[in-house]
Amino acid sequence: MASSTLRLSSSSCSRQINAVVHVPKLPKVIPYFSVPKIPTTKPVEELNIRDGFRRIVPVEKISTAPIHDKSPNSDATAATTQLYAILEAVADRVEMHANLGKQRENWNTLLLNSVNMITLTAATMAGAAAIGGAGMPLLALKLSSTLLYSAATGMLLVMNKIQPSQLAEEQRNATRLFKQIQTQIQTMMALGTPSKEDVKGVVEKVLAVDKAYPLPLLGAMLEKFPAKFEPCVWWPSNQQLQKKNKSSEGKQRGQKKNGWSEEMEVEMREIIEVVKRKDIEDYERLGNLVLKTNKVLAIAGPLLTGVAAVGSAFVGNGSWTAIVAVAAGALGSAVTAFEHGGQIGMVFEMYRNCAGFFRLLQESIEATLEERDLEKRENGELFEINVALKLGRSLSNLRQLARKSASSRMDGTTIDEFASKLF
């Protein structure tokens, strides 16, 4: 055997056999039990996991400083905690507006199909009653047609009042804006230490979007047929910023600092002029046109179905009554299909949103230029890039537009180009 050795020895008196067996040493088996570590998840990290923000928002190291500590670190910690709470509320608003947008889009589709089917059925019954019938069959057809036309008229009045396609567009815009705020909060916490002013600004933005796009219908619904087209406003007023800027007017004039120069300020003012003279005016013109068209269609649809209901009640008393009942019903169905199938209300809201976008761009550029302390401004090069991207232009194209605007103003002509290439 490989594992043993036999050694033999003999003597004169007796034979003695000595055997030595070498057994290989086995390692000591020590039972090892791995105890799983209990994860110690911080409350903020649990919030991120629950709401889907993991690997999106970095988890800040929150110190255990006492509440009464007034150091800058404690202020930053409190601001970070408040921003996380606001982030959770914004995520909830995104979900609510997205769900309501889908619901109101379904309203538009279902109500449009129902009204058109009711109207066409009533017109068919009125035509059948006019072709032939007497006694009780004629009365049944007339009564059914009149009731269906009356129901279609009532449903159209409700549809034209609430404008489901416009309601759906409002919720889509609100969802997009709240997602923007959500991204801004995440970027704010990722780049640096937030402050109380940042928290206050975010809260004002959230409340401004809530006011611009309310959730309920009764009592808070936006006016669907205003007297005049007005751009949508979803940002807080910057009157306090303008007062602050005016109080520091005249400081640091002519300095080139923080990426700003006199040439860049002139360029931004020219961009503002192009936006005001071309883009804003064009969207206001189109918005007023769509508003007038929607008003006419909203009146014509119920009016035609109402006339058809009256005509169907007198079918059999003359040939003209049947013609009025059938023709008015068919025209009413066509008008309804054009208004709600074409989503005129959605187009109107889209123009309001586009005009508001240009108004916001104008106010942001003006507020930045009114700030005389160049260090308090956003970096000039970064600001120029943001403006160019919002208008769908490159930096060279943006500067070319500013030069073109300046030359057209000197010549007394109107520039033939819009500032935005996106919409």
Side-chain angles (χ1 to χ4, degrees), residues 19-39:
V20 179
V21 179
H22 296 278
V23 180
K25 294 183 179 180
L26 298 176
K28 293 183 179 181
V29 179
I30 301 176
Y32 177 75
F33 301 97
S34 61
V35 180
K37 295 182 179 180
I38 300 176

Side-chain angles (χ1 to χ4, degrees), residues 176-196:
R176 179 179 58 84
L177 293 173
F178 276 120
K179 285 183 178 180
Q180 281 186 0
I181 296 176
Q182 185 178 4
T183 305
Q184 290 171 4
I185 296 174
Q186 294 169 359
T187 305
M188 192 182 301
M189 292 187 296
L191 291 180
T193 304
S195 62
K196 293 182 178 179

Side-chain angles (χ1 to χ4, degrees), residues 325-363:
V326 176
L331 286 175
S333 179
V335 168
T336 303
F338 180 74
E339 179 185 6
H340 297 285
Q343 299 188 356
I344 306 299
M346 181 273 293
V347 176
F348 174 71
E349 184 61 31
M350 182 184 66
Y351 285 155
R352 287 184 69 243
N353 185 263
C354 292
F357 169 81
F358 290 114
R359 179 71 61 83
L360 175 60
L361 181 64
Q362 174 188 344
E363 291 186 4

Side-chain angles (χ1 to χ4, degrees), residues 26-63:
L26 298 176
K28 293 183 179 181
V29 179
I30 301 176
Y32 177 75
F33 301 97
S34 61
V35 180
K37 295 182 179 180
I38 300 176
T40 56
T41 308
K42 297 181 181 179
V44 174
E45 194 171 358
E46 292 178 358
L47 175 64
N48 291 342
I49 296 172
R50 184 182 67 190
D51 289 338
F53 298 125
R54 192 167 181 83
R55 294 186 301 272
I56 297 178
V57 183
V59 179
E60 302 288 342
K61 295 182 178 180
I62 301 178
S63 62

Side-chain angles (χ1 to χ4, degrees), residues 116-417:
N116 280 341
M117 289 300 297
I118 291 173
T119 305
L120 294 177
T121 303
T124 303
M125 288 184 175
I131 291 174
M136 296 302 293
L138 176 61
L139 179 61
L141 290 173
K142 289 170 54 177
L143 182 60
S144 299
S145 178
T146 303
L147 290 177
L148 287 177
Y149 273 135
S150 301
T153 302
M155 294 176 67
L156 273 177
L157 289 173
V158 175
M159 282 188 69
N160 294 339
K161 177 65 177 178
I162 65 175
Q163 292 290 317
S165 63
Q166 187 173 348
L167 290 176
E169 182 67 16
E170 290 172 4
Q171 302 308 313
R172 285 192 289 265
N173 291 334
T175 303
R176 179 179 58 84
L177 293 173
F178 276 120
K179 285 183 178 180
Q180 281 186 0
I181 296 176
Q182 185 178 4
T183 305
Q184 290 171 4
I185 296 174
Q186 294 169 359
T187 305
M188 192 182 301
M189 292 187 296
L191 291 180
T193 304
S195 62
K196 293 182 178 179
E197 288 75 14
D198 296 331
V199 175
K200 183 180 178 182
V202 170
V203 172
E204 289 178 352
K205 289 181 180 179
V206 172
L207 296 179
V209 177
D210 285 338
K211 183 179 179 181
Y213 298 104
L215 284 171
L217 287 178
L218 300 177
M221 184 179 67
L222 297 177
E223 178 61 38
K224 299 301 182 289
F225 300 99
K228 184 182 178 183
F229 175 84
E230 291 291 340
C232 183
V233 178
W234 63 83
W235 59 91
S237 175
N238 57 354
Q239 294 179 356
Q240 296 180 355
L241 177 62
Q242 292 177 356
K243 291 180 181 179
K244 179 180 177 181
N245 294 337
K246 290 180 180 179
S247 63
S248 59
E249 188 173 359
K251 295 181 180 179
Q252 300 186 9
R253 189 69 177 172
Q255 296 183 8
K256 184 176 182 180
K257 201 172 183 181
N258 196 21
W260 286 94
S261 62
E262 291 291 336
E263 292 78 8
M264 186 176 293
E265 290 189 1
V266 173
E267 173 189 339
M268 290 297 139
R269 290 191 175 90
E270 292 297 334
I271 297 299
I272 292 175
E273 291 298 324
V274 177
V275 169
K276 288 192 297 186
R277 286 185 295 168
K278 296 294 293 185
D279 298 80
I280 294 180
E281 287 185 2
D282 188 65
Y283 274 105
E284 287 181 351
R285 178 183 62 83
L286 292 175
N288 284 313
L289 178 63
V290 173
L291 178 61
K292 293 177 181 178
T293 304
N294 201 20
K295 285 181 179 179
V296 173
L297 294 175
I299 295 173
L303 181 62
L304 288 171
T305 54
V307 171
V310 175
S312 63
F314 295 97
V315 170
N317 297 330
S319 59
W320 285 103
T321 56
I323 294 175
V324 169
V326 176
L331 286 175
S333 179
V335 168
T336 303
F338 180 74
E339 179 185 6
H340 297 285
Q343 299 188 356
I344 306 299
M346 181 273 293
V347 176
F348 174 71
E349 184 61 31
M350 182 184 66
Y351 285 155
R352 287 184 69 243
N353 185 263
C354 292
F357 169 81
F358 290 114
R359 179 71 61 83
L360 175 60
L361 181 64
Q362 174 188 344
E363 291 186 4
S364 63
I365 295 177
E366 290 176 349
T368 302
L369 295 179
E370 287 176 358
E371 176 59 66
R372 299 303 176 183
D373 190 355
L374 301 182
E375 288 296 333
K376 293 182 180 179
R377 290 185 186 179
E378 185 180 356
N379 181 268
E381 297 175 356
L382 179 60
F383 187 80
E384 186 182 21
I385 292 174
N386 288 334
V387 172
L389 291 177
K390 288 179 180 179
L391 296 177
R393 293 177 176 270
S394 62
L395 290 178
S396 59
N397 202 345
L398 185 70
R399 293 164 185 164
Q400 182 181 0
L401 176 66
R403 291 192 296 267
K404 190 173 182 180
S405 173
S407 62
S408 64
R409 290 177 60 189
M410 293 178 62
D411 297 338
T413 59
T414 303
I415 188 172
D416 58 349
E417 187 176 358

